[in-house]
Amino acid sequence: MAVPSVELTGGVKFPMIGFGTWQSAPDVVGTAVRAAIDAGYRHIDCAWNYFNEKEVGQAVKDKITEGKIKREDVFITTKLWCTYHRPEDVKRGFQESLRGLGLDYIDLFLIHGPPAFKPGPKWLATDDSDYDDTDYVDTFKAMESLVDEGVCRAIGLSNFNTQQLERVLQNCRIKPAVNQVELHPYLVQQKLVDYCKSKGVVITAYSPLGSPGRDFAQPGEARVLEDPVVLDIAKNHEKTPAQVLLRYHLDRGIVVIPKSVTPSRIRENLQVLDFSLTADDIKKLNSLDRNNRYVDWSFCKTHKYFPFRD
Ligand SMILES: NC(=O)c1ccc[n+]([C@@H]2O[C@H](COP(=O)([O-])OP(=O)(O)OC[C@H]3O[C@@H](n4cnc5c(N)ncnc54)[C@H](OP(=O)(O)O)[C@@H]3O)[C@@H](O)[C@H]2O)c1
C-alpha cells in the first residue's frame, strides 16, 4: 500500500511516513537507509548534526544507481544547525549538508531549532558564552534565498513554539511549510498542533516512539512504547505498540518519522496503512498527555530563544 502524502506550499508532495536517522551510527545507517528504501520509505529525515549525512546520501545514491528509485522519488529533509544561524552563514550550512549528502538539491530545509550558537567548530553550547543573538526570523529570511535559487524545494522550522512560529509567519515572504516537533501521547501539544493547522503549516512528529534508544535516555524513565493503554490498544487491533504510536499521528493528519536500524522494525513501522484507530482510541491516547519531553534541548535552557517554555 502506498504511503499517503500531504501537499506542501507550491504543490510539493510530502510522504506522511519518513525515516529517521538521528543517532544511527555512520557504520550502520547506510544499510538501514537501503533497507528503508527497499521496504517502501520515500522520505528520509536528516540533519547536519547527525554526523551521518555522507552515509545516508551514499545509500540513497546506491538505490538510484541500482535503478530502484529516481532522485525525484525520494523526499530528503535536512536541517540547519544552530552554529549557522547568522544570515551570512546560512548558505554555507546548507551547502555542507548538500555536499555531505552528495545531492544537488534538498526537498525540505528546516531551522533545527530557534536558538543560535556562535559560529565555529564547537557545535554544542556548554554555557551562555556559546550563545549567539541572531534572530531566527533573519535566519529564515536567508533561507528564502535558497528557494529562490532553486536548490531547495521548501523551507520550514523545527522545535518552534507558537509565538516563535507566529513571528516567522508575520515577517517572512515564504511561509514555513513544516514545523517538526516532538509528539507522542506523553506530549500531545494540542495547542501547537491546532495553531499550525490553522495556519496551514504541516506538522512532523519526531521521536514518535519516545526515542527509547537515545544516548541520554534516563534509567527508569516512563516509556510511551510500554504504556499499558498503548499495549491494550495494540492488542485490540492485533498490531504492535510501535504501530499504534505511528498510526496515532497519521489519524491526526500529522507526518511521522520513526527511526530504526533494525530491518524487521523498519518494515514493521511502515505496516500501518491497513488499519486506523477509533475516536475512542485517540481519546485514550490523548489522555496520557503529561508534557513529557524526551528531547528537551537542556543544553540551551537559558537561551533567549529556548522554545519549550510555553
Ligand atoms: N528536529 C529535532 O530536533 C529532532 C529530534 C529528535 C529526533 N528527530 C528526528 O526524528 C526521528 C525519530 O526520532 P528518534 O530517533 O528520537 O526516536 P523514535 O523514532 O521515537 O525511536 C527510535 C528508537 O525506537 C526503536 N524502535 C524503532 N522501531 C521500533 C519498533 N517497531 N519497536 C520497538 N522499538 C523500535 C529504535 O531502535 P533500533 O534503531 O535499535 O531498531 C530506536 O531506539 C529521528 O531519527 C530524527 O530523524 C528530530
Side-chain angles (χ1 to χ4, degrees):
M1 217 179 282
V3 175
S5 294
V6 287
E7 243 180 51
L8 303 180
T9 333
V12 179
K13 284 205 159 55
F14 188 39
M16 290 190 74
I17 305 175
F19 187 64
T21 62
W22 179 43
Q23 297 201 341
S24 295
D27 58 334
V28 297
V29 75
T31 307
V33 169
R34 283 188 290 273
I37 292 172
D38 286 342
Y41 292 80
R42 293 292 181 268
H43 163 184
I44 301 173
D45 185 74
C46 315
W48 178 88
N49 83 329
Y50 297 171
F51 303 113
N52 58 13
E53 287 186 305
K54 184 166 164 255
E55 293 75 12
V56 171
Q58 189 55 53
V60 171
K61 285 184 289 178
D62 290 348
K63 286 289 153 191
I64 294 173
T65 309
E66 222 177 83
K68 176 86 187 170
I69 49 166
K70 298 202 235 10
R71 169 64 186 92
E72 59 269 31
D73 296 334
V74 60
F75 190 103
I76 306 283
T77 302
T78 192
K79 314 183 190 86
L80 182 82
W81 185 244
C82 308
T83 45
Y84 294 93
H85 275 212
R86 292 186 185 173
E88 65 273 24
D89 292 335
V90 165
K91 190 156 187 189
R92 197 163 47 86
F94 174 81
Q95 279 171 336
E96 286 199 15
S97 281
L98 195 65
R99 238 192 333 265
L101 288 159
L103 300 174
D104 51 17
Y105 71 91
I106 296 296
D107 293 278
L108 175 64
F109 192 48
L110 307 177
I111 301 185
H112 207 140
F117 302 158
K118 292 220 168 88
K122 186 178 177 191
W123 68 276
L124 200 57
T126 48
D127 61 59
D128 297 13
S129 67
D130 297 322
Y131 295 166
D132 191 65
D133 272 349
T134 305
D135 185 337
Y136 48 81
V137 168
D138 296 327
T139 307
F140 194 79
K141 285 183 175 166
M143 284 167 52
E144 291 175 332
S145 311
L146 299 171
V147 179
D148 297 339
E149 286 170 33
V151 285
C152 83
R153 297 171 78 206
I155 49 176
L157 310 169
S158 178
N159 295 302
F160 275 60
N161 65 31
T162 308
Q163 291 85 350
Q164 292 167 333
L165 173 54
E166 191 168 17
R167 277 196 67 226
V168 177
L169 286 167
Q170 281 169 355
N171 290 290
C172 290
R173 185 165 55 80
I174 299 178
K175 187 167 83 170
V178 167
N179 190 17
Q180 183 184 122
V181 297
E182 180 177 339
L183 279 188
H184 42 71
Y186 284 180
L187 187 70
V188 174
Q189 306 213 67
Q190 196 61 50
K191 190 179 133 216
L192 180 62
V193 168
D194 290 343
Y195 181 74
C196 289
K197 286 192 175 173
S198 75
K199 298 292 176 187
V201 175
V202 172
I203 303 164
T204 299
Y206 77 64
S207 303
L209 309 176
S211 201
R214 73 197 188 287
D215 58 7
F216 52 91
Q218 300 302 307
E221 71 181 16
R223 288 180 167 221
V224 68
L225 251 181
E226 292 168 11
D227 190 284
V229 170
V230 177
L231 301 187
D232 193 47
I233 294 173
K235 198 166 150 229
N236 290 342
H237 287 279
E238 299 183 348
K239 287 285 176 183
T240 67
Q243 289 169 328
V244 166
L245 290 175
L246 300 175
R247 189 69 228 184
Y248 168 71
H249 299 293
L250 302 181
D251 285 331
R252 297 168 83 209
I254 291 171
V255 175
V256 68
I257 48 170
K259 170 263 175 186
S260 177
V261 293
T262 312
S264 58
R265 288 173 169 174
I266 291 171
R267 291 189 297 273
E268 174 187 326
N269 295 344
L270 206 55
Q271 284 155 13
V272 294
L273 302 173
D274 56 353
F275 80 116
S276 40
L277 298 175
T278 65
D280 189 48
D281 293 332
I282 304 270
K283 200 168 154 202
K284 283 183 184 148
L285 292 167
N286 281 338
S287 75
L288 301 177
D289 192 14
R290 55 189 71 175
N291 201 32
N292 182 131
R293 258 176 223 288
Y294 291 108
V295 182
D296 64 3
W297 283 57
S298 56
F299 49 82
C300 60
K301 275 205 160 114
T302 54
H303 196 290
K304 68 174 180 177
Y305 294 137
F306 180 73
F308 305 143
R309 290 196 190 94
D310 71 339

